[in-house]
Structures are given as structure tokens and as C-alpha cells.
Amino acid sequence: MARFTLPRDIYYGKGSLETLKTLKGKKAMVVVGGGSMKRFGFLDQAVNYLKEAGMEVELFENVEPDPSVETVMKGAEAMKKFQPDWIVAMGGGSPIDAAKAMWAFYEYPDTTFEQLITPFHFPELRQKAKFAAIPSTSGTATEVTAFSVITDYAKGIKYPLADFNITPDVAIVDPALAETMPQTLTAHTGMDALTHAIEAYVSTLHTPFTDPLALKAIQMVFQYLPASYEGDKEAREQMHYAQCLAGMAFSNALLGIVHSMAHKTGAAFSTGHIPHGCANAIYLPYVIQYNAKNPEALARYAEIARYAGLTGNSDEELMQALRAKIQEFNVKLNIPKDLKDFGIQEAEFKEKVAAIAENAVGDACTGSNPRAITPAQMEQLFRCVYYGTEVDF
Ligand code: FE
């Protein structure tokens, strides 16, 4: 038996934030990030709509990027005091991810992160509250996924939480919130969404339920991301929907080694953080070349290329056309072509690559990649993404 899980309701379109008026409940805890939602007036709007729904509202503000265990515990504590029957998380991926974990600790105060990290073994949520998610960036799609990432800074560990219990009940995909994204964030989150859709389409766990969502998302990103990057509002709106479709696909089909590599390199180098979507965008063309050695994966990349309107006389040519298209996008979006170009120092790369490669193979996303990979192959692949060389093994 297989399972395909999405939020009960997805409201979308300009002004759909208003749907908060229709939620049925007594108390709502609104979880937000650093201030852009407040600055642009969306937080006030959300609070007012919830009050119109007859709810008492309390805020939990200032969730940091890459939210910490401490923030999650503080939020859960605030929820225990306030006893909300709705948790409303709004902003980028971080406040929504944090709120998902707070929800688990609010409902089960005696649980631990160690218990929660076993994939798909959460206790039954919704005993106390339901969950609404409202994204302000167009990439992570956490508003529709079963995932959350929480960082334990003391131990230097990221806890990837995965369970359909934390798939929100309601997602509100209002493009007005995404109009405020700065240009670089638009590029990175857009390429993250493209990576989600492509990895979900070739994942070993892809299904007839996830395939159409992934293909449509890919086609929409190709169609709208460049204009969205240039600030076109109509294109921004379409990107906000495309990333959500990609999220519905990958929440159920999972991902692959582009994400394994991005997870383990994001904070690995002393020269600074590599933003998640930027790392994905750099690695994606190389990983396609690696995975395409598997004939089934090659055929599926060719299907993507055909669906996206690219041409070629064989699956190999179609796959290369897809890679070329992604590389062309990276140039347009000012994304470096390899890690050297990004500014990672060669000496530090050489010193760390073996350990990073081993960590990447152990990442939760490696299991559903269409071609298996050993730590030695992963190290070789990392050398290709560092120097920008062909993947010929
Ligand atoms: Fe991602």
C-alpha cells in the first residue's frame, strides 16, 4: 500500500490570506520570523482576519533563519500556556518549519527530538490544534510538505523531521506575500523549487500521483522564473504556485542526491554559508549527468525535456538539452557554475571533501536517488562540482 498526503485545503490567489476569517476555532497562535511580514502589513492583516473569525490571537515572533531547538522549545512552552486550537505559521520556510516542531512538542510535551527524527513515526497530532501555513517565499513549499528542519547548534546537528502528521491542514498560497522577495532570494528559491520537481520526478519513489505535479512545476519554472527574477508580478504569482506543485510532488516522492549534497555543504566552509537553493542550482546539472548513467533515469530526464518543449534526437540529447537549459538559467540568475566560482577555497575543499562526501551519502535524501552512490563516487562527483568538469563515471 502507498500513501499520498496533502493539506486538506489549499487556498491560493491574490488576497487569499483573507480565508483566515473562515477558520473555526477559539484561539490562534501566530508564528512568524524576523519582521518582513510585520513591515509589509501582512501580520496585522492576518491577526485582524483571525479576530474577525472570533478568535483570541497571540503572537510568537522572531523565529530565526535555520530555527534552533531552543526556539522550538520556547514556542512550545508559549503554546502550552496559551492553549491554541489553531497554529498559524507565516513567512519563509523557517517560521513554518519551527512551528511544525513546536506543534509536536505542544501536543506531546514529553517527546524528544531523538524520538521525532525516526522518519514517519510521529505520534498522532491534531489532539489539541490544527495547523495553517502561509508562505512568503517561493521555494521550500513547507506549507504543503511533511518536512521540517530544526538545528541543534550545541551539537552541530540538523534534525530533519519527516512525517505526514506535520503536513499542514490548511495552506494559504497568496502571491501578494511573495511579491516582497528580494531578487537573489527569488533566484535561489526558484531553483530550489525546480530541483524539488526534477528530483521528485526521477525519484525511486515517484508515482502516478506525483509525476503530473512535478512535470507541471518544471514547465512553469522554465516559463516564469526569469521574468519573476526581473520583478514581473504575474510571473511571481505563477512561481508561487509552481513551487507549491513541486512541494506536493516531493513531499510524497521524496528527493535525491542534489539535496544530500546541498544539505552537507550549506555550512561546511569557512568562507560562508552556501544558500540552499544556490547549492541545488549549482549541483543539479552535474547530478543529472551522474544519474543519467542509469537507463531508467535517463529516460525520465528525456521525458522532462520533452514536456518542457526541449528538442533532441535521442534520450541522451534530450537529457543534455535539459542540462543546458538549467545551466542557461544559472547564468541568467547570476548563480555560479561551480563551487570554485562560488568562492570556496581549494585547500579547504580538498581537506574536507572526503568527510563531506561520506556525510552526503548518509543523508536522508540519498535513499530515493535513482542511481546508487558510494562515498568514493560522491567524492569524485564533488570534485566535478568544484572544478566544473564533466561527470564521466
Ligand atoms: Fe530544497
Side-chain angles (χ1 to χ4, degrees):
M1 186 180 66
R3 180 176 176 180
F4 179 79
T5 297
L6 296 177
R8 165 73 172 72
D9 292 299
I10 298 171
Y11 298 95
Y12 60 95
K14 234 168 235 171
S16 54
L17 185 61
E18 200 177 343
T19 204
L20 288 173
K21 280 187 204 171
T22 65
L23 297 187
K24 308 256 181 297
K26 293 192 176 71
K27 288 178 167 192
M29 174 78 91
V30 178
V31 180
V32 285
S36 72
M37 288 298 94
K38 201 178 202 166
R39 252 189 344 271
F40 294 112
F42 295 115
L43 180 58
D44 280 350
Q45 273 181 39
V47 168
N48 290 336
Y49 290 142
L50 289 165
K51 286 182 176 163
E52 255 184 80
M55 284 198 251
E56 196 184 326
V57 182
E58 195 166 284
L59 302 183
F60 187 88
E61 295 180 87
N62 298 317
V63 173
E64 70 278 26
D66 296 318
S68 66
V69 167
E70 288 75 21
T71 298
V72 169
M73 293 310 176
K74 253 201 257 168
E77 204 48 51
M79 287 174 189
K80 267 178 252 165
K81 282 201 192 106
F82 183 59
Q83 293 289 313
D85 48 14
W86 274 98
I87 297 165
V88 178
M90 68 189 302
S94 297
I96 300 175
D97 275 13
K100 286 175 171 178
M102 290 171 194
W103 186 21
F105 286 99
Y106 165 46
E107 301 222 357
Y108 293 91
D110 297 328
T111 194
T112 63
F113 270 100
E114 282 68 24
Q115 286 169 318
L116 294 182
I117 53 172
T118 310
F120 299 95
H121 275 83
F122 261 56
E124 201 58 36
L125 298 183
R126 299 172 174 77
Q127 313 296 315
K128 293 182 180 171
K130 288 192 195 173
F131 194 101
I134 310 164
S136 67
T137 59
S138 305
T140 70
T142 183
E143 73 276 10
V144 291
T145 73
F147 310 120
S148 157
V149 182
I150 304 299
T151 306
D152 186 331
Y153 289 92
K155 293 185 188 157
I157 301 174
K158 282 201 175 196
Y159 291 117
L161 309 178
D163 195 285
F164 289 124
N165 267 289
I166 54 171
T167 301
D169 297 281
V170 173
I172 301 174
V173 188
D174 186 335
L177 279 70
E179 276 176 15
T180 62
M181 276 193 300
Q183 198 178 34
T184 306
L185 190 63
T186 304
H188 293 170
T189 51
M191 292 307 284
D192 187 27
L194 179 66
T195 307
H196 292 156
I198 292 179
E199 293 214 281
Y201 193 74
V202 300
S203 159
T204 56
L205 297 174
H206 75 85
T207 71
F209 294 81
T210 58
D211 285 348
L213 293 163
L215 282 180
K216 183 64 186 171
I218 295 163
Q219 182 255 314
M220 287 174 77
V221 173
F222 283 152
Q223 188 174 350
Y224 295 111
L225 182 53
S228 173
Y229 180 67
E230 297 303 335
D232 180 287
K233 285 187 179 164
E234 174 68 23
R236 281 264 165 119
E237 174 173 2
Q238 296 303 320
M239 276 303 300
H240 211 38
Y241 306 151
Q243 64 86 31
C244 186
L245 298 179
M248 292 188 237
F250 91 82
S251 188
N252 291 281
L254 306 188
L255 295 166
I257 59 172
V258 178
H259 270 77
S260 305
M261 296 165 77
H263 290 155
K264 305 308 180 196
T265 46
F269 299 104
S270 62
T271 38
H273 190 77
I274 310 172
H276 174 71
C278 180
N280 282 332
I282 296 173
Y283 305 155
L284 183 58
Y286 299 92
V287 169
I288 291 176
Q289 208 172 16
Y290 175 81
N291 284 345
K293 295 281 191 303
N294 170 318
E296 271 171 54
L298 174 64
R300 291 187 70 80
Y301 289 127
E303 281 171 21
I304 291 173
R306 261 184 235 109
Y307 188 84
L310 304 175
T311 50
N313 294 317
S314 63
D315 282 3
E316 177 71 25
E317 278 184 29
L318 284 158
M319 179 274 289
Q320 293 295 359
L322 176 63
R323 292 184 64 232
K325 180 87 175 170
I326 296 162
Q327 284 158 340
E328 174 199 312
F329 263 54
N330 284 349
V331 171
K332 256 188 225 164
L333 303 174
N334 288 306
I335 289 170
K337 72 174 187 6
D338 52 47
L339 285 180
K340 193 172 185 175
D341 194 16
F342 182 86
I344 305 297
Q345 301 296 313
E346 191 172 12
E348 189 180 11
F349 172 76
K350 283 182 171 167
E351 182 195 317
K352 293 184 171 169
V353 65
I356 293 172
E358 187 153 355
N359 287 340
V361 170
D363 188 87
C365 292
T366 303
S368 45
N369 194 67
R371 185 181 168 201
I373 190 159
T374 64
Q377 286 172 314
M378 183 60 94
E379 196 176 324
Q380 226 179 325
L381 186 54
F382 266 118
R383 286 183 206 283
C384 296
V385 305
Y386 184 84
Y387 296 102
T389 50
E390 295 288 305
V391 181
D392 55 4
F393 55 94

